[in-house]
Amino acid sequence: MSRPTVKTDFSGEIPKGTYGPAMHLTETLEGWRNLRPVINNNICNNCGLCYLVCPEGVIFDEKNKMDIDYGFCKGCGICARECRKNAITMEKGDAANE
Ligand code: SF4
Ligand code: SF4
C-alpha cells in the first residue's frame, strides 16, 4: 500500500483570508450543538484557560465572571475538557438565546 503523497505546493488551494472578516464570526453556530457548556462560577477561578482554548473565541469575562456566547458556541466541549477546575459541564438542552 502506498502512502499518500505529501504536497508541497498548495498555491491556489489555500483560502484567501479568514472565513470571516477580521476573524469575526459572521454566522451563528448554535445549530451545531448537541450539548452546551455550562460554567459553574462557584468553582471557576477565572484562570481564562477556557477562553484560550475555545476555537470560536466565544468565552468571555464579564466583571470577573466567565460567560459564554451561546449564539456562537458550537458545543465542541474543549472548554469543559481543558478546565482544570472541572467548572464546566456539558449539559443537555439548548440555551442558544440565553
Ligand atoms: S478554565 Fe475553568 S476555571 Fe478557568 S476560567 Fe474557564 S471555567 Fe473558570
Ligand atoms: S463548547 Fe467549544 S465552542 Fe463552546 S464555548 Fe466550549 S470550547 Fe467554545
Side-chain angles (χ1 to χ4, degrees):
M1 185 183 300
S2 61
R3 296 178 130 199
T5 308
V6 178
K7 287 187 188 179
T8 54
D9 178 12
F10 294 98
S11 56
E13 294 183 34
I14 299 175
K16 291 185 174 55
T18 57
Y19 77 93
M23 274 310 283
H24 287 288
L25 297 169
T26 55
E27 295 177 13
T28 60
L29 302 174
E30 76 267 33
W32 295 19
R33 214 169 42 234
N34 291 321
L35 299 173
R36 68 185 170 105
V38 176
I39 299 175
N40 183 337
N41 281 291
N42 293 322
I43 300 174
C44 170
N45 65 0
N46 286 72
C47 71
L49 181 61
C50 53
Y51 161 77
L52 287 174
V53 299
C54 173
E56 304 302 336
V58 297
I59 301 179
F60 56 93
D61 185 338
E62 181 76 30
K63 296 177 183 167
N64 293 324
K65 190 176 156 196
M66 300 307 283
D67 207 348
I68 296 169
D69 184 342
Y70 287 114
F72 294 97
C73 165
K74 62 187 177 186
C76 64
I78 292 173
C79 54
R81 171 91 185 221
E82 294 300 322
C83 174
R84 309 241 164 104
K85 299 283 286 181
N86 292 322
I88 305 178
T89 52
M90 299 301 290
E91 299 186 1
K92 286 186 179 172
D94 202 7
N97 298 315
E98 285 182 6

